[in-house]
Amino acid sequence: MWLVLFGPPGVGKGTQAKRLVSYLGIPQISTGEMLREVRGASGPNAQKIADALDKGQLVPDELIVEMVSERLAKPDCQNGCLLDGFPRTVEQAGALEQLSGPLGMELGGVFRLRVEEEEIIRRLAQRGHRENRSDDKPEVVRHRLDVYRQQTQPLVDYYRQRGRLFEIDGTGSVDEVFERIRITVDRLIPRQPSNNGSVDQKQPS
Ligand code: AMP
């Protein structure tokens, strides 16, 4: 089963994703991290990716979909994985749906982390100082939030209509937020003592 952590930049997706994959024993597919790695290499798309990252714009759908498709087909994803930062457009969500058949995997749930916008801006400013990320500068942050509202927010309705959206309050400590996610995940995927926590663990009844 595929799971998605969803929300605006700075909401805590990356931090919570790390906790969740260690809890479930599945890989984390973070498109932001993958892109930051590719930009550091000198491949054909490195410049295009660097431009998008520095400006806080989305990388073109074809490029990201190809990258994610290749990653999801790898053997370590055969028991499911957690997507962090993908999908970010309705086109990407459609592409993920298309992969479901060929890869024999379903999207189980989209966990939407919610935090007030002022808090997000405060968190991103802190991260900008701490990690020196080129896209955490104040003017780029504003643009990334606009991009989120215009291109990514429509996915909330998309997944709500499909009954896949789970709303999570993202305020409070990392532990408090993780506990809310864990409770929701445990309801979605009842854990069975006999296996190691992989996501595809539901036994036919
Ligand atoms: P993140 O680390 O998830 O905040 O992503 C950092 C940046 O990577 C974004 O601002 C985009 O430029 C790019 N990016 C990450 N995921 C995607 C995606 N699914 N589609 C397009 N661009 C993406």
Side-chain angles (χ1 to χ4, degrees), residues 7-10 13 30-33 35-36 49 51-61 64-65 67-68 84-89 92 124 127 133 135-136 140 144 147:
K13 294 190 295 291
S30 159
T31 44
E33 278 174 24
L35 291 167
R36 284 188 284 279
I49 290 172
D51 285 347
L53 288 175
D54 290 344
K55 292 184 187 143
Q57 279 162 1
L58 295 186
V59 164
D61 285 330
I64 196 90
V65 165
M67 223 172 80
V68 170
D84 153 24
F86 182 93
R88 254 175 157 102
T89 63
Q92 292 177 16
L124 284 169
R127 186 170 76 184
R133 257 176 67 165
D135 56 353
D136 280 344
V140 182
R144 287 167 69 208
V147 167

Side-chain angles (χ1 to χ4, degrees), residues 3-150:
L3 302 175
V4 171
L5 262 187
F6 182 86
V11 79
K13 294 190 295 291
T15 308
Q16 294 298 336
K18 293 203 164 55
R19 298 281 294 263
L20 191 54
V21 294
S22 114
Y23 178 66
L24 292 170
I26 51 169
Q28 171 186 0
I29 313 294
S30 159
T31 44
E33 278 174 24
M34 286 166 83
L35 291 167
R36 284 188 284 279
E37 273 167 29
V38 177
R39 108 174 261 177
S42 52
N45 292 319
Q47 192 53 49
K48 211 189 262 183
I49 290 172
D51 285 347
L53 288 175
D54 290 344
K55 292 184 187 143
Q57 279 162 1
L58 295 186
V59 164
D61 285 330
E62 322 77 79
L63 207 159
I64 196 90
V65 165
E66 193 188 329
M67 223 172 80
V68 170
S69 314
E70 279 173 16
R71 183 67 190 87
L72 290 178
K74 296 236 160 96
D76 65 329
C77 289
Q78 69 187 13
N79 286 327
C81 67
L82 177 67
L83 288 156
D84 153 24
F86 182 93
R88 254 175 157 102
T89 63
V90 172
E91 288 71 22
Q92 292 177 16
L96 186 63
E97 242 170 68
Q98 298 280 311
L99 285 172
S100 195
L103 293 180
M105 210 33 82
E106 269 189 21
L107 175 59
V110 175
F111 303 99
R112 178 194 187 194
L113 288 177
R114 304 189 69 173
V115 168
E116 292 291 320
E117 182 152 330
E118 299 90 85
E119 172 65 12
I120 293 213
I121 291 171
R122 200 183 60 77
R123 289 186 190 183
L124 284 169
Q126 274 179 353
R127 186 170 76 184
H129 289 303
R130 206 174 49 235
E131 296 178 15
N132 199 21
R133 257 176 67 165
S134 63
D135 56 353
D136 280 344
K137 294 193 192 96
E139 62 282 9
V140 182
V141 161
R142 270 194 298 278
H143 184 59
R144 287 167 69 208
L145 290 170
D146 284 343
V147 167
Y148 172 79
R149 270 190 293 268
Q150 285 162 19

